[in-house]
Each structure stands twice: as C-alpha cells, then as structure tokens.
Amino acid sequence: MSTTTVRLTVAQALVRFLSAQYTERDGVRHRLIAGTWGIFGHGNVAGIGQALVEYRDVMPFHQGRNEQSMVHAAVGYARHLDRLSAQAVTTSIGPGATNLVTGAALATVNRLPVLLLPGDYFASHAPDPLLQQLEHPVEADVSVNDTLRPVSRYFDRVTRPEALVPSALNAMRVLADPAETGAVTLALPQDVQAQAYDWPEEFFAERIWRVRRPAPDPVELAEAVRAVRAAGRPLIVAGGGVHHSEAEGALQALVDATGIPVASTQAGKGSLRHDHPADMGGIGHTGTAVADGLARTADLVIGVGTRYTDFTTASGTLFQDPGVRFLNLNITAFDAHKLAARTVVADARAALEALGGALAGYRVDAAYEAEYRAGRERWERVVEAAFRADDEDAVPTQTQLLGALDAVVGDDDVVINAAGSLPGDLHKLWRARSPRQYHLEYGYSCMGYEIPAGIGVQQAAPDTVVWSLVGDGTYLMMPTEIVTAVQEGLPVKLVLIQNHGYASIGGLSESVGGERFGTAYRHRSGDGTYTGAPLPVDLAANAASLGMDVLRAKTVRELREALGTARACDRPTCVYVETDPSPTAPPAEAWWDVPVAETASREAALRARESYETQVAGRRRHL
C-alpha cells in the first residue's frame, strides 16, 4: 500500500472524497454524491464553502433558499433515481442546522438517502460561547446538531481531522445500503473544517459501493410458495420497495402468470400501469372501493416492499377475513416481520422473480379473477365521473382539475404532491402510466415538499416534464425555492390551487368534532372564529414576483388551455386556479384512527365519539 499523502483541510478532503464515490447495481454505475446544496453562514462558509470553490470542477454546487427545502430537493432527486444517486446539503451553525431536522425526518421515514453536513461549534471550545451556541449546563459536548441524531440513520461529529476517514466511509456505507439508507449526518465543527492534515492518497481513490440484491433464503421461499398455493383469495400490496428495486417488470410477470391482483400504497402506486387488468389502485384509508373490498376478504396478503402504515391498514381495521395471513417480501427484516407475517427477506425484484419461477402452473380461480376485473371496471366509472366537467365554463372542482391534468400529461411526466387533500384524491383517482409518474411523499406527509422536490426531480431527469401540485397552505409555508428553479433554469410546472384554507384538515376536523375550527384562511369574525371573507391574498402575483411565468385559469376550459400551455414552456411556469371547494372526490373507503374527545359538551364532538367507538371496535391484532 502506498504511503503517499496529500495535505488538505478537512473540508477539502471531504469534498474531494465525496467526488470519487460511486454506486453500482446490475452493472450500471452512478455518482453517489452528485452535487451539494448549500446556504452559507458562519460554521460552513470558510470550511466547506472554500472547499466547494476549490473543487467546483468535480463537485457541482446548488444554491438554496431554505435549509429544509434543500433536503427536500435532494430527496426528490434520490427517489427519482431509485436511491442509487444522492446529494449533500451543507448549512451553517444554529438555525441553519436545525432547519434540517424536518427534511432529515422525511428522508429517513421514507428510506431515501441524503447527506447532511451542518456546521458545528468549535471543537476546541476556545471562543465559547459563540454566536448561536446552545449552552448546556452539564453536557458541554451537546450542540443543536444533536437534534439530528434521532432522525439520522448514521450520525457523527468529526472533532479531529483523522476521524473523518472512518466517519466518511461509514456515511457512504449507509447511504448506499438499500436496507439501512436514510439521512446521514456528519456534523463538522468549524475549526476542524479548516484544519490541515496529511491524508493518505488511498482515501481519495475512486470507490464503488455495490448495491446488492440479496436473494431469498430457500426455506423462506418454499414456505412462501406453499402459502400462495394454499390461498383462495390472495392480494398483493405493492409498496415503495417495488420502485426502489426496479421490480415493476418482475411484479407484472408474476401477476400475468398467476392472476393475483395488486393494490398499491402511496409509495407503490405505479408499480403496475393503471390500465393493467390486475391493477386495483390504491389501498387503505385513501384506497379504491375495489382494492379495499378485496383487502377485507383476502385470505393471504402479500406485501412487497411496504411498511404497512396506518393509512395502508386502515389503522388495523382493513384485513378482516378470520383466517387472513400475511406474506412479506422486504429487504429489511424489520418490515418483513410486521403483522406476524411469513417472511422473505430479500431484494424485491429478486424475491418476485424467484417466487414467480417457483409458482409455475399456479393461477387464481377464474371466478376470483372475474370478480376483481368487474370491480375495477366499476371503479373506473367512478373515476370518470369525478374527472368529468359537464360545464366547461364553470369553476373547476379539485377532482376536475385532476381530470384536466390527466388529459394533458404525457406517459413519462412526473406528478409530485405531499400533503393536504390532494394525496387522497390522487391515490384514489390518478391513472399512473409509468413507474416514476406518481411521486407522492406520504411517509411523512410534509407540507412544503412539493416545490423543492420538483426541482430535485428536474435535476435528476432534465428532459422530463415535472408537475408540482401545491395547495395554498403548502405554498404559504415554503414558496422560496421558486427562486432556485428560476436561477437554475429548471422548467418545473407548478399547479397552484387556491381553496382558502387547510381543506384536508378542515374535513378531518369536522369528522372528529373539531367543527373546522382554525382551518380557514379568512378574516377573524367578532366571535373570534375565522368565518369572515376570504383573505385578499394573491398567490399568483407572489409566484410571479419570484420569477415564475404565471397563467391564471378561472374555468375548466381555461384550466385545460393553461395546463397545455404550461407543459410546452421551457422555463418555470405556474398555473393558478381557484377551485370550487365542494367535495367531489369519492368518500373514504376505510377508516383512519384519529382519537376523538372522550367527553365534551358540544354535540358535534359527542356524535363523533359515538362513531369513533363503533369504528375502533373493528381493529384487529394480527398474530
């Protein structure tokens, strides 16, 4: 081994190291850290900032406006590239660092890789207390960056130059691990960033992190085959792991051979194309009638790459067959063992291919196949009715907006959303035409994700048309990355929907006895409630002031025209529409547990509690 060294600062060494890291899966290589987002302040401007200037020819830099948004952009980028390539995010000390926490939680909840590089206080403690330092009376080594520990899959504070070597290698290991990935944090004290050290040349050599596809254990596979062959009404629940593993083809091959129907989680939608005869659409609280009906009577539920959140299981009330059992194909044992399932701990594509080969000759009963095909035809008529606009000159409803968008998007366009009432409508109604078209962040359901994620996806796929669907609540929370899209010349399409409040939470509030209190964007009335006139806020003008081209649409006809125009634009473009707030989406097909006040004086809460007690009685523990 060579003993040649090179003298660099810690920050310079880290940036040079990151520029030489790659992933490889199925013989295809990707840059692991493809670029770095940053907002500079004291704590990173003289360290990481200088290093990014030093190595700007090998490490692309992207300027952000909000630290949380930068993480969202990096997450959108990584998700679109199946977690094989990621981005780093650098921030200053203090609020810049703590602003990372929400984005880090989102990344880790969704198992998506992002490298966080927040500045930290002086390791030497020489100038303590310094600007923005949180002084702890009994733990001098605590900093605000410790808030990132519970939301990171790997965390280290690099307090000496030589400590960077193992820490950086461990960071890459976790980022590239399909079972362990998420947010990775390397907290970098600002004095250490600037310290020089003699680094071994080997540290900067090109390094390939192979993303493995672990095959099924033969015993587990044999048990899985027996379970499927014994089932009369099997149902596949496709989760995000299908996409991460690029297992869509293997899933379709299995379904074509066996006739087993497929329902999808928010993360798994698009695992089958919407018009495949075995695609039942979304499952759970925001699922379709046909998918949830099959789930209630399934005797075997085959989860593929799913975490089984409460939205998927309808808070434990969905799978009601007395003898229902679960078979989970998942790369993480933690998720595979949920619901007391038989397990196949393996890569989703490898597991589906092995299962399909071992099930040769098996097919579900023809009557079951005819039943679910008839069910999906009935649901398709529900979708058509929700999308249809009989009066082209009327103000569009939210579902008619989705119908107008459905008529405009191309098969490879990407539609992004995260929170509010839209995720439910999209999960029920959207017709996903390709594996990457449906991009919903619903693991953390984070308002503010949509615009920066659109930027990240546009960076990952420059020639793809990207639509970010944003309600007024989300827009008011985090519109600032519009400036970044303009600066970077990224032609993201923003569909900005004005309905004067938190529509989703307003509906939930009403259903649980909260009477929509505090959910409308209106003037304050004399009784202290917000029931006055809508606020005179012009969000379209705001988007224009940030540099976007803006198209205003008042009717269904104008909306269709504006969407078509926006799709053809080669710069960031916003379609602004004020929708009719009348509920037009199909109602929820399954329950979701939001506890209701056990005692109250108001009639709305008393009625809601009665309904709650009826629903919660249907919960099961699957053992």
Side-chain angles (χ1 to χ4, degrees):
M1 180 179 291
S2 170
T3 57
T4 304
T5 61
V6 57
R7 192 162 182 81
L8 301 171
T9 68
V10 168
Q12 292 164 357
L14 177 58
V15 172
R16 183 172 165 184
F17 167 83
L18 293 177
S19 71
Q21 307 303 303
Y22 294 85
T23 63
E24 184 177 284
R25 186 170 71 180
D26 303 330
V28 179
R29 186 179 300 188
H30 301 263
R31 177 83 174 259
L32 177 50
I33 304 299
T36 298
W37 287 91
I39 296 175
F40 294 115
H42 90 103
N44 70 338
V45 66
I48 292 291
Q50 189 282 327
L52 289 168
V53 174
E54 191 92 14
Y55 293 107
R56 59 185 172 183
D57 57 330
V58 294
M59 178 56 70
F61 175 74
H62 310 291
Q63 185 183 59
R65 270 77 202 169
N66 175 283
E67 292 86 358
Q68 179 181 322
S69 289
M70 293 193 298
V71 184
H72 292 336
V75 166
Y77 178 92
R79 174 173 171 171
H80 195 76
L81 295 177
D82 301 318
R83 309 189 299 185
L84 297 172
S85 186
Q87 294 176 323
V89 177
T90 179
T91 72
S92 63
I93 288 171
T98 53
N99 280 350
L100 295 173
V101 174
T102 296
L106 180 148
T108 296
V109 164
N110 287 284
R111 319 287 170 82
L112 293 167
V114 60
L115 176 62
L116 307 180
L117 305 173
D120 212 325
Y121 313 144
F122 282 64
S124 67
H125 294 266
D128 288 8
L130 69 154
L131 178 67
Q132 298 178 331
Q133 180 170 350
L134 175 71
E135 294 183 88
H136 196 288
V138 296
E139 295 182 78
D141 62 340
V142 167
S143 84
V144 296
N145 285 334
D146 288 283
T147 60
L148 288 160
R149 288 181 183 272
V151 293
S152 297
R153 295 297 290 172
Y154 178 80
F155 178 100
D156 193 16
R157 180 175 287 113
V158 182
T159 57
R160 292 178 59 87
E162 59 267 37
L164 178 65
V165 173
S167 184
L169 292 170
N170 274 317
M172 298 304 103
R173 172 186 60 79
V174 174
L175 289 170
D177 190 315
E180 295 298 326
T181 196
V184 167
T185 299
L186 299 182
L188 302 170
Q190 62 173 313
D191 54 342
V192 176
Q193 287 182 47
Q195 290 174 3
Y197 184 75
D198 294 321
W199 305 90
E201 280 280 7
E202 288 84 2
F203 184 54
F204 307 113
E206 184 177 287
R207 192 179 302 267
I208 299 173
W209 301 85
R210 288 189 170 80
V211 181
R212 59 190 179 278
R213 290 191 182 277
D217 175 83
V219 174
E220 286 193 331
L221 179 62
E223 290 180 350
V225 170
R226 285 194 291 271
V228 176
R229 290 189 180 278
R233 298 179 63 84
L235 173 67
I236 293 172
V237 175
V242 175
H243 293 313
H244 298 327
S245 180
E246 297 178 282
E248 298 90 355
L251 176 64
Q252 182 173 333
L254 174 68
V255 169
D256 288 345
T258 64
I260 301 174
V262 176
S264 55
T265 68
Q266 286 280 16
K269 194 172 172 75
S271 295
L272 285 183
R273 188 180 155 97
H274 77 93
D275 53 4
H276 190 285
D279 180 58
M280 303 296 108
I283 190 171
H285 177 62
T286 55
T288 68
V290 58
D292 286 352
L294 292 174
R296 291 186 179 94
T297 59
D299 56 1
L300 180 68
V301 178
I302 306 169
V304 184
T306 178
R307 298 187 298 121
Y308 286 112
T309 68
D310 59 344
F311 258 60
T312 298
T313 68
S315 300
T317 65
L318 186 58
F319 305 109
Q320 286 297 325
D321 184 87
V324 65
R325 302 300 296 172
F326 296 84
L327 167 63
N328 292 337
L329 284 56
N330 205 296
I331 200 166
T332 69
F334 179 84
D335 290 316
H337 282 276
K338 289 177 178 175
L339 302 177
R342 292 184 175 88
T343 64
V344 177
V345 180
D347 170 77
R349 192 170 87 183
L352 287 168
E353 289 173 346
L355 185 61
L359 285 171
Y362 167 83
R363 192 167 184 89
V364 300
D365 187 79
Y368 182 48
E369 200 165 353
E371 174 192 336
Y372 71 65
R373 290 192 180 206
R376 80 179 297 281
E377 288 177 5
R378 289 192 299 273
W379 186 256
E380 186 61 26
R381 291 193 289 273
V382 173
V383 175
E384 290 288 352
F387 282 179
R388 185 171 58 246
D390 296 324
D391 183 358
E392 290 280 308
D393 295 316
V395 174
T397 64
Q398 185 162 280
T399 57
Q400 289 169 347
L401 182 152
L402 296 181
L405 186 62
D406 176 75
V408 169
V409 299
D411 282 9
D412 294 319
D413 290 11
V414 177
V415 176
I416 298 173
N417 188 238
S421 58
L422 270 169
D425 292 355
L426 286 161
H427 198 207
K428 292 187 188 82
L429 304 173
W430 189 255
R431 298 158 165 165
R433 306 174 198 177
S434 60
R436 301 295 170 270
Q437 181 173 86
Y438 188 87
H439 185 122
L440 262 284
E441 189 293 297
Y442 215 60
Y444 207 49
S445 185
C446 187
M447 295 175 70
Y449 174 81
E450 297 91 329
I451 297 174
I455 291 170
V457 172
Q458 196 77 81
Q459 288 179 325
D463 298 326
T464 297
V465 177
V466 179
W467 302 87
S468 291
L469 310 188
V470 182
D472 50 353
T474 280
Y475 184 87
L476 287 167
M477 192 169 287
M478 201 171 292
T480 50
E481 296 315 310
I482 286 175
V483 178
T484 303
V486 172
Q487 181 181 41
E488 300 266 340
L490 299 171
V492 174
K493 322 301 178 190
L494 175 63
V495 181
L496 177 51
I497 305 164
Q498 172 66 278
N499 53 26
H500 301 289
Y502 299 119
S504 174
I505 290 299
L508 178 62
S509 172
E510 186 173 37
S511 71
V512 297
E515 302 177 49
R516 294 185 176 263
F517 179 75
T519 61
Y521 292 159
R522 294 178 179 272
H523 284 286
R524 192 179 185 94
S525 301
D527 62 357
T529 60
Y530 298 95
T531 56
L535 298 175
V537 176
D538 191 339
L539 301 184
N542 180 263
S545 76
L546 296 177
M548 270 197 147
D549 290 346
V550 176
L551 305 169
R552 295 176 184 257
K554 295 182 178 179
T555 68
V556 173
R557 189 188 314 278
E558 291 176 0
L559 176 62
R560 293 184 191 279
E561 293 172 356
L563 291 171
T565 300
R567 190 176 188 278
C569 288
D570 60 0
R571 68 180 313 278
T573 304
C574 171
V575 175
Y576 172 85
V577 60
E578 186 165 346
T579 55
D580 180 343
S582 303
T584 54
E589 295 291 335
W591 185 59
W592 183 44
D593 189 350
V594 177
V596 176
E598 195 167 356
T599 182
S601 61
R602 297 182 68 86
E603 182 63 27
L606 295 174
R607 291 196 306 269
R609 181 66 192 188
E610 290 177 5
S611 175
Y612 178 82
E613 291 175 351
T614 299
Q615 296 287 351
V616 78
R619 175 179 285 139
R620 291 181 61 184
R621 288 288 185 187
H622 296 284
L623 300 173

